[in-house]
Amino acid sequence: MGGCATFCTLMSAIGVPLLLFFGYLLSNNSPMIEIPEPMKPEAGQGCYMAAALYAITFVVAYSSMTSSAKEASAREAKLQ
């Protein structure tokens, strides 16, 4: 579970700023993204929604990653 949570955390941490940047470009009708002009505002909203979902995924995956680390340390045997 820890490897999956780490992977999801990293992908979400990369995805959120990237999608926010794409949403910004599309919302401002930037020529850097080549799609038909009338579709750009709607595509920008889609990027912002996807960034919000990735942010939620980041929070859930990060909390899962940190909670699994705490559980693993509780199972370790104490050597004296």
Side-chain angles (χ1 to χ4, degrees), residues 11-49:
M11 288 293 103
S12 298
I14 293 168
V16 170
L18 184 64
L19 285 167
L20 288 174
F21 179 64
F22 288 162
Y24 173 77
L25 290 176
L26 289 164
S27 295
N28 291 320
N29 293 323
S30 173
M32 291 175 62
I33 297 182
E34 294 186 23
I35 64 171
E37 290 293 325
M39 299 177 75
K40 285 186 178 182
E42 189 176 341
Q45 287 179 343
C47 286
Y48 289 137
M49 284 191 231

Side-chain angles (χ1 to χ4, degrees), residues 2-17:
C4 180
T6 303
F7 178 77
C8 289
T9 301
L10 288 173
M11 288 293 103
S12 298
I14 293 168
V16 170

